[in-house]
């Protein structure tokens, strides 16, 4: 996998928090497009309101740095006196995910921690939309399920306790051992099945990519990370955003004029 990726944001030129460099080019609809390099392999998605390039930049439109390790979430320590943290699964710009054991019932779970330093102002709406999207799709075999949401503290908005998928993501499979034709078709059907139920609830995932497709040990595909999902019934500035990972975005999504088909 390449060591540098480019992400796309729409709006006035801003400075990358990683490199301090930006490039700006006009898009087909006249808005200015910003592409900046991201160090490392982490996939970082921009959440940027659609705006005229003549308007001032909004606060918080650039991706923040990855949240630092927390003194309240440490390996082999109890969280909330209920969950023993066992392993760091992933760390991105907007959240960190750990594997843990729920002590009372000895269930392995994934805990997504939501830092207050990242979800400030209107950005908190992404968190609540993710909760709604997961709740509306709960129990579907091709969507990662949420178990509960634990209240946060001074450092975190909340702790999302989710299904732990004991396997790999599709990106790792494709990099290490590409699937056979039959398995590839089976995975594609699973993804479409999960998207179908989400779309029936008017939910657009907006960031379908191999890293967000988790595979169980028997290769059942599960869609994860509804962190930038959009629910079509919403009509506010948050809903009218361009967001996603540039490499996997449809042209319509890139231009900010899209519907459920953007996920396909």
């Amino acid at each position: 996998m390449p060591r540098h990726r480019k992400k796309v944001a729409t709006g006035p030129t801003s400075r990358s928090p990683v490199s301090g460099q930006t490039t700006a080019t006009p898009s087909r609809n006249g808005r200015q497009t910003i592409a900046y390099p991201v160090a490392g392999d982490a996939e970082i998605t921009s959440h940027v309101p659609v705006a005229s390039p003549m308007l001032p930049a909004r606060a918080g439109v650039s991706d923040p740095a990855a949240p630092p390790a927390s003194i309240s979430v440490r390996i082999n320590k109890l969280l909330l006196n209920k969950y023993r943290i066992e392993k760091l699964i992933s760390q991105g710009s907007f959240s960190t995910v750990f594997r843990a054991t729920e002590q009372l019932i000895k269930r392995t779970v994934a805990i997504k921690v939501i830092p207050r330093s990242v979800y400030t102002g209107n950005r908190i709406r992404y968190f609540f939309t993710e909760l709604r999207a997961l709740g509306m799709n709960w129990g579907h075999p091709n969507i990662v399920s949420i178990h509960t949401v634990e209240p946060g503290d001074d450092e975190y908005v909340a702790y999302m306790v989710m299904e732990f998928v004991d396997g790999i993501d599709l990106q790792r499979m494709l990099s290490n051992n590409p699937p056979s034709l039959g398995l590839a078709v089976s995975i594609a059907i699973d993804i479409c099945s999960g998207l179908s139920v989400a779309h029936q609830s008017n939910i657009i995932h907006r960031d379908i990519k191999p890293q967000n497709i988790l595979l169980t040990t028997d290769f059942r595909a599960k869609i994860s990370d509804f962190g930038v999902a959009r629910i079509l019934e919403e009509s506010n500035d948050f809903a009218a955003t361009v967001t996603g990972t540039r490499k996997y975005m449809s042209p319509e999504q890139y231009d900010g004029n899209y519907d459920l088909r953007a996920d396909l």
Side-chain angles (χ1 to χ4, degrees):
M1 189 165 67
R3 297 299 298 174
H4 296 277
R5 297 191 182 278
K6 288 187 177 181
K7 305 301 167 187
V8 61
T10 304
T13 302
S14 62
R15 186 167 296 274
S16 164
V18 178
S19 68
Q21 299 177 344
T22 61
T23 57
T25 57
S27 65
R28 286 174 295 185
N29 57 16
R31 293 194 296 268
Q32 194 175 50
T33 296
I34 304 165
Y36 56 83
V38 177
D41 288 339
E43 291 291 340
I44 301 178
T45 305
S46 298
H47 313 293
V48 184
V50 177
S52 164
M54 301 303 294
L55 296 178
R58 301 192 185 194
V61 298
S62 296
D63 292 317
S70 166
I71 60 173
S72 61
V73 184
R74 288 186 174 180
I75 303 302
N76 204 34
K77 297 294 184 180
L78 276 179
L79 174 66
L80 304 175
N81 291 319
K82 297 170 64 175
Y83 307 97
R84 184 166 296 280
I85 304 299
E86 297 174 344
K87 181 181 179 180
L88 174 67
I89 297 177
S90 65
Q91 186 169 21
S93 293
F94 300 98
S95 64
T96 304
V97 182
F98 295 89
R99 187 187 72 191
T101 295
E102 189 172 355
Q103 293 293 94
L104 183 61
I105 59 176
K106 302 302 179 183
R107 173 173 62 177
T108 302
V109 297
I111 298 181
K112 184 175 183 178
V113 300
I114 311 298
R116 292 187 184 276
S117 60
V118 172
Y119 285 84
T120 58
N122 286 340
R123 191 184 290 271
I124 193 65
R125 298 182 186 180
Y126 285 97
F127 168 63
F128 290 121
T129 298
E130 181 175 15
L131 293 184
R132 288 183 60 196
L134 289 171
M136 294 164 73
N137 296 318
W138 186 87
H140 192 278
N142 300 121
I143 296 177
V144 173
S145 294
I146 184 169
H147 295 319
T148 189
V149 180
E150 300 284 3
D153 48 34
D154 291 341
E155 191 171 5
Y156 293 107
V157 176
Y159 301 96
M160 295 173 58
V161 183
M162 308 175 69
E163 171 189 8
F164 174 72
V165 179
D166 187 12
I168 61 175
D169 62 45
L170 182 57
Q171 176 63 39
R172 187 175 300 179
M173 170 185 273
L174 295 174
S175 299
N176 296 338
N177 187 21
S180 65
L181 177 60
L183 180 55
V185 170
S186 177
I187 291 171
I189 291 173
D190 284 349
I191 296 170
C192 290
S193 177
L195 286 176
S196 176
V197 72
H199 290 173
Q200 288 174 31
S201 299
N202 286 327
I203 296 168
I204 313 177
H205 186 283
R206 300 205 291 184
D207 201 22
I208 293 294
K209 58 187 178 183
Q211 294 90 328
N212 285 340
I213 305 300
L214 305 185
L215 301 172
T216 65
T217 53
D218 60 353
F219 300 110
R220 172 180 288 177
K222 291 177 175 281
I223 300 171
S224 69
D225 197 352
F226 283 75
V228 296
R230 173 183 171 185
I231 300 176
L232 287 178
E233 63 203 43
E234 294 183 349
S235 57
N236 49 41
D237 289 341
F238 160 70
T241 57
V242 174
T243 185
T245 303
R246 185 178 196 172
K247 183 177 179 179
Y248 302 101
M249 290 168 63
S250 67
E252 294 80 9
Q253 188 175 353
Y254 179 84
D255 281 341
N257 182 23
Y258 57 92
D259 56 25
L260 297 166
R261 293 171 291 180
D263 283 341
L264 302 176

